[in-house]
Amino acid sequence: MKQKKLKIVKMEKNMRDMNHSKKDKEYLHNHGETPEEKEIEMWKKKLIWGWILTIPIILIMYILPLIFGMMVFSSEVMLLISLTFAFPVIFIVGLSTLKSGFRGFISFYFNMDSLIALGTVVAYLTGFLQFFLPVQDYSGVAAMIMAIFVTGKYIEAKARGRAGQEIRKLLEMGAKNARILRGKTEIEIPISEVKVGDIMIIKPGEKIPTDGIVTKGESSVDESMVTGESLPIDKLKGSNVIGATINQDGILYVKATKVGKDTFLAHIIDLVEEAQGSKIPIQKMADKITNIFVPSVLALSILTFIGWSIFGNFSSAFGASIAVLVISCPCALGLATPIALTVGSGMGAKRGILIRKGEAIQTMKNVKVIVFDKTGTITKGKPEVTNVEMGKGVKEKEFLEVAGSLEKLSEHPLSKAIVNYANLKNYKVVKNFKNLRGRGIEGTVLNKKYLIGNKRLMDENKINLKDFSKKIEDLEKEGKTVMALALEKDKKVLGLIAVADSVKEDSFKALKELHKRGYYTVMITGDNERTAEAIAKEVGIKKVIANVLPEGKSLEIKRIQDKNGGTFVAFVGDGINDAPALKQANVGIAMGTGTDIAIESGDIVLTKGSLTGVVQAIELSKATFSKIKQNLFWAFAYNTIAIPLAVAGVLHPVIAEIAMAASSITVVGNANLLRRKKI
C-alpha cells in the first residue's frame, strides 16, 4: 500500500514537472513571436501585393502611352483594367485602412486613415460613375495612393523597432543544455528539462544554465551581459548566480533555484514588454489637424455640390465636388513627416546616430532631464590601471616585472589590466602560484614569495599597510580598486596598484554641453555610492542614484517622470538591465557598443558609443521636428489655396491632382534643406 502511494506521489511530481516544462516552452514561444514582428510581416505582404496589382495600372495608363505616343487600348478597356486591378488594392490590401478611416465617421474622431479612406474610395468610384456621367476617371490614381500609403506603413512599422526579435535572440543566448548530477552521475539534458533543486556543474568558459546558488566551488562570473557592470563577480559557496552569465576560471556546482519564466532574465524581458506597452504615444500634430480638416472638406464638398446644382448644372456640380475631395487627398500630408524623418535619419546615420522611432523626434524637444547609466555609457566598461605608487627604495621597473609576472597567470580582468599596463617583453618564472578567491594571488619569483591583492589578504598575512593607508583611502574615495604588492617574508609592502573603469575621453565635454543647453543630468548605477560619486564628480553629473538593482532603474525613471506633474526624461544606457529603463523613458538613447536588447529598446541608437552623440542627437531631433512642422504647413497651404478654386469650379480634378503633386514636391524639397543644417 505504501509503495503504491509512493508511486502515485512520483507520478504527480512527474506530471507537475512536465506541465512546468510545457509552460516554459509556451513562454519561450510566446516571447519569440511578438506583435511588432507580426505587424511588420502584415504590412510587408500588403506592400508586395499592393504594388504587384498597381504596377500594371501605371504601365498601361502612363508608361505605354508615353512610349507609343498614344493609348494602346480603348478608353473602355483601360477603364475596365483600372477598375479590376484597383479593386483588390483598395478593398483587400487597404481593408484595414478603410475600416480605421471610416470608423472616424462613426466616432467623429478622424485620423490619417480617414483621409486616405475617403480619398481612395471616392477616386475609385469615379471609374464607375464614368459609365453614367461625364466625370474624370481616378480609379487608377486611387490604387497608387493606397500602394504608396501601405509602403509608408511598412516602413513605419519596421522603424518602430524589433524589440520582439531581440527578446527572442536574448532567450537564445542562454545555455541550450545543462550538465547536472543525478546521484553521482553527470548527465547532460536540455535546458527545458532542468528542475528546481537540480545540481548543475558549470566548467570554465561555460554559460550558467539558469538562476541558482553555489553549493560547491569558487570562480568569478562575468555578469556584464545582464548587469552591464564590467568586472566579473567572485562567487563562493552560498553566492547567487544568474542564468546565461559566463563562468570564468573555476568549476562551480550550482543548485537551480529558478527555471523558465521565473528566472531573472525572463523577469527583465517582462519589464521591457510592460514598459513598451505602457508608453503613451505622442498625439501627432497631423492627426489633430485632420480631425477638423476631414469633416470640413466633406461638408464643403457637399455644399459645393448643392451650390452648383442650384446655380449651375449637375455635371459641373459633380466635377467641382469631386475636385474638392481630390485636392484634400493627403499625399503631401502623408509625406510631410516621413520624408523629413528620412532625411534626418540619413544625416544622423553619417554621424553614428540612428533614429529608430519617429516619436523620439517630437518628444525630444520636451525633455528636461537626461539620465545616464554609468558602466559602458559614461565609462569605458573595462578596467585600466590608473595609479602606481611605490614604497621607498622600490624601482618601478622591478615592481611591474614582479606584479606583471604574477598577474599573467590569472584570468581575472583586474589581472589583465595590470598585465596590459606592465607591458613586459619577458616574464619572470613564477612558482607555487595560487589564486586566492576574493583576496588576490600569491606566488614565488626568484625564490621570494610575493602577495598581491586587497586589504583583506594583507591583514590575513599580518602585513602592515600603515605607510600607505592615506593613499589607499584617497584612491578608494575616487572609486578605484586598490591592490598592494608585498614580500611575504619581510611583511613589507612594495607598492600599490589602483585599477578603475576609466571615464570615456569625451564624457566631460558632452555633459558640459548638455548643462550649457539647460538640461539636468542624473546618473543611475548599481555600483556603490563612493564609486558613483567619484565618477559623477569627474564628469560634472548633477545627481547620483547609486546601489540600484537591475530591475529598479525603470522605477527610478518613473519617479523622475512623476515629479512636478510630469517631467520628460531621456535615458542613456547600454546593458540588458538598461532595457526596461530605455523603454520607460520618454526618449531612450542606447549606446551602439552595448547589448542587442538595449540597442533594440532604444528610440535613438549611438553607434559610436560616444556621449557627444547625445548632444548631436538632441540637435538633430529639434532640427528634424522643425522641418516636420514646416512640411505640414506646406502640405495644407496648397489645400488652402486650391480648395477655394475647386469650390469656384475653376480647378479641374486633373489640375487638383497636379496641385497635390506640386505640394508633395515642395515638401520633399523643403525636407532636403535639412541637410544644410550643421549638427
Side-chain angles (χ1 to χ4, degrees):
M1 184 72 183
K2 192 176 181 181
Q3 284 183 339
K4 191 176 180 182
K5 190 175 181 182
L6 189 64
K7 278 185 180 180
I8 292 168
V9 170
K10 281 185 177 180
M11 282 174 67
E12 287 176 349
K13 184 179 183 297
N14 289 336
M15 286 296 290
R16 282 198 303 270
D17 292 340
M18 284 173 66
N19 289 334
H20 190 78
S21 178
K22 187 179 177 183
K23 284 180 182 177
D24 292 338
K25 286 175 183 175
E26 285 174 2
Y27 173 81
L28 292 171
H29 174 74
N30 291 339
H31 279 76
E33 197 175 10
T34 65
E36 289 85 359
E37 289 176 284
K38 287 179 181 177
E39 188 181 5
I40 290 167
E41 190 60 30
M42 176 190 76
W43 286 114
K44 186 180 179 180
K45 286 177 182 175
K46 288 186 176 186
L47 180 150
I48 292 166
W49 281 108
W51 283 110
I52 285 173
L53 295 162
T54 303
I55 287 171
I57 297 173
I58 298 171
L59 189 70
I60 293 163
M61 290 182 69
Y62 299 102
I63 307 296
L64 292 178
L66 194 67
I67 294 169
F68 297 106
M70 55 179 280
M71 292 291 182
V72 180
F73 302 102
S74 66
S75 58
E76 289 81 7
V77 173
M78 293 268 284
L79 180 58
L80 284 171
I81 291 170
S82 180
L83 287 170
T84 303
F85 279 88
F87 181 85
V89 177
I90 296 160
F91 296 101
I92 298 175
V93 172
L95 183 61
S96 60
T97 303
L98 297 183
K99 283 181 179 179
S100 171
F102 286 115
R103 201 176 292 128
F105 292 95
I106 300 168
S107 63
F108 297 103
Y109 188 85
F110 304 99
N111 53 29
M112 283 291 292
D113 289 352
S114 300
L115 289 169
I116 293 293
L118 183 65
T120 52
V121 170
V122 171
Y124 180 77
L125 291 175
T126 58
F128 286 103
L129 290 170
Q130 200 177 54
F131 288 113
F132 313 103
L133 298 166
V135 179
Q136 183 74 30
D137 170 33
Y138 291 104
S139 56
V141 172
M144 292 176 217
I145 291 169
M146 186 59 78
I148 292 166
F149 177 75
V150 167
T151 304
K153 293 296 283 185
Y154 168 70
I155 294 166
E156 183 186 320
K158 201 172 180 183
R160 205 174 289 129
R162 296 185 180 181
Q165 279 191 0
E166 291 310 316
I167 286 170
R168 189 180 65 233
K169 286 179 188 175
L170 182 59
L171 285 164
E172 289 171 356
M173 280 169 61
K176 304 293 185 295
N177 298 303
R179 189 184 295 105
I180 66 166
L181 271 178
R182 286 283 161 88
K184 291 185 179 180
T185 308
E186 288 184 26
I187 62 167
E188 195 166 303
I189 61 171
I191 187 67
S192 60
E193 293 179 17
V194 175
K195 300 187 291 292
V196 172
D198 280 343
I199 301 296
M200 304 175 289
I201 304 165
I202 303 103
K203 295 181 179 179
E206 292 182 345
K207 289 178 182 177
I208 294 170
T210 191
D211 296 4
I213 187 167
V214 177
T215 59
K216 181 182 173 184
E218 295 181 354
S219 185
S220 57
V221 175
D222 179 3
E223 296 184 344
S224 60
M225 62 89 64
V226 172
T227 65
E229 297 302 320
S230 55
L231 301 179
I233 309 299
D234 290 322
K235 301 293 181 182
L236 312 168
K237 184 179 178 180
S239 298
N240 291 314
V241 292
I242 301 169
T245 56
I246 301 170
N247 184 25
Q248 296 274 289
D249 52 7
I251 297 177
L252 290 176
Y253 289 76
V254 176
K255 181 181 179 180
T257 56
K258 292 178 182 177
V259 295
K261 60 185 175 58
D262 299 321
T263 62
F264 175 85
L265 201 57
H267 182 51
I268 288 290
I269 292 164
D270 285 338
L271 285 173
V272 173
E273 291 182 333
E274 187 181 342
Q276 188 176 23
S278 65
K279 180 181 271 190
I280 301 168
I282 302 300
Q283 180 62 53
K284 295 286 190 292
M285 185 186 295
D287 284 345
K288 290 179 180 178
I289 297 169
T290 54
N291 197 37
I292 302 166
F293 181 72
V294 175
S296 299
V297 167
L298 183 61
L300 192 60
S301 179
I302 294 167
L303 288 172
T304 301
F305 182 82
I306 294 168
W308 275 99
S309 296
I310 296 169
F311 300 105
N313 57 65
F314 183 77
S315 181
S316 299
F318 209 89
S321 59
I322 288 291
V324 171
L325 285 174
V326 170
I327 192 63
S328 73
C329 223
C331 290
L333 192 60
L335 276 171
T337 298
I339 193 65
L341 188 57
T342 301
V343 174
S345 299
M347 289 176 65
K350 289 178 183 177
R351 293 163 176 79
I353 303 162
L354 303 181
I355 300 168
R356 297 188 61 254
K357 297 181 184 177
E359 291 93 334
I361 294 292
Q362 186 168 347
T363 311
M364 186 61 85
K365 67 181 174 61
N366 298 320
V367 167
K368 301 296 180 190
V369 178
I370 301 179
V371 182
F372 297 87
D373 168 50
K374 179 179 76 69
T375 306
T377 302
I378 294 173
T379 65
K380 293 178 181 177
K382 62 178 183 177
E384 292 179 350
V385 173
T386 57
N387 303 77
V388 176
E389 300 287 335
M390 262 73 64
K392 290 179 182 177
V394 179
K395 293 180 181 178
E396 185 176 358
K397 184 182 177 185
E398 294 171 0
F399 176 85
L400 290 175
E401 279 180 351
V402 173
S405 297
L406 286 165
E407 298 289 4
K408 183 73 170 65
L409 300 177
S410 173
E411 291 297 316
H412 200 283
L414 294 180
S415 300
K416 290 177 182 177
I418 294 168
V419 171
N420 290 338
Y421 183 83
N423 194 25
L424 302 175
K425 290 183 180 177
N426 298 304
Y427 293 92
K428 303 287 185 184
V429 175
V430 178
K431 296 179 181 178
N432 305 317
F433 174 82
K434 196 173 181 182
N435 192 357
L436 306 169
R437 184 73 53 199
R439 291 162 289 164
I441 56 177
E442 66 176 45
T444 304
V445 179
L446 298 174
N447 298 319
K448 291 180 181 179
K449 186 179 178 182
Y450 290 92
L451 299 167
I452 182 167
N454 57 23
K455 187 175 182 296
R456 181 182 162 193
L457 181 62
M458 298 299 124
D459 289 343
E460 283 177 0
N461 289 275
K462 297 178 181 177
I463 295 169
N464 197 336
L465 289 166
K466 185 176 67 174
D467 294 342
F468 292 90
S469 58
K470 180 68 171 65
K471 192 65 187 175
I472 291 170
E473 188 181 338
D474 291 343
L475 289 168
E476 286 181 343
K477 279 181 181 176
E478 293 172 14
K480 296 172 182 177
T481 301
V482 183
M483 289 164 285
L485 175 64
L487 267 169
E488 195 270 341
K489 186 179 179 182
D490 298 341
K491 308 296 180 187
K492 178 186 176 184
V493 176
L494 303 177
L496 305 174
I497 300 175
V499 178
D501 183 7
S502 301
V503 170
K504 291 178 182 177
E505 289 79 3
D506 58 2
S507 291
F508 175 78
K509 182 184 174 184
L511 283 154
K512 187 179 178 182
E513 286 295 321
L514 291 172
H515 293 146
K516 195 187 290 183
R517 287 165 171 76
Y519 292 100
Y520 186 78
T521 55
V522 180
M523 183 170 77
I524 295 179
T525 178
D527 219 332
N528 64 77
E529 201 161 332
R530 177 184 281 185
T531 302
E533 289 286 355
I535 296 294
K537 187 178 179 182
E538 187 176 345
V539 297
I541 290 276
K542 302 279 186 185
K543 182 182 178 182
V544 171
I545 304 172
N547 297 310
V548 179
L549 294 171
E551 62 267 35
K553 288 187 179 182
S554 60
L555 293 174
E556 293 294 341
I557 296 292
K558 194 171 188 311
R559 284 194 189 101
I560 297 169
Q561 287 172 322
D562 291 341
K563 285 181 181 178
N564 305 320
T567 302
F568 277 63
V569 177
F571 178 77
V572 188
D574 75 320
I576 287 173
N577 63 317
D578 295 329
L582 285 163
K583 284 291 180 186
Q584 178 62 47
N586 300 92
V587 179
I589 303 174
M591 307 301 280
T593 49
T595 58
D596 285 348
I597 192 168
I599 292 168
E600 291 302 323
S601 297
D603 303 312
I604 296 172
V605 178
L606 307 179
T607 59
K608 294 178 182 176
S610 166
L611 282 190
T612 54
V614 176
V615 182
Q616 291 178 324
I618 290 169
E619 292 297 310
L620 179 62
S621 296
K622 288 182 176 179
T624 305
F625 186 66
S626 176
K627 281 297 171 192
I628 289 170
K629 288 196 292 184
Q630 291 172 22
N631 281 352
L632 289 171
F633 166 78
W634 284 113
F636 283 106
Y638 276 86
N639 289 39
T640 306
I641 296 165
I643 286 175
L645 296 175
V647 172
V650 297
L651 188 66
H652 190 272
V654 173
I655 306 300
E657 282 289 332
I658 294 168
M660 283 190 351
S663 66
S664 298
I665 292 165
T666 304
V667 163
V668 171
N670 184 55
N672 278 285
L673 291 176
L674 181 61
R675 300 183 194 279
R676 297 182 182 179
K677 180 78 175 175
K678 290 183 180 179
I679 304 298

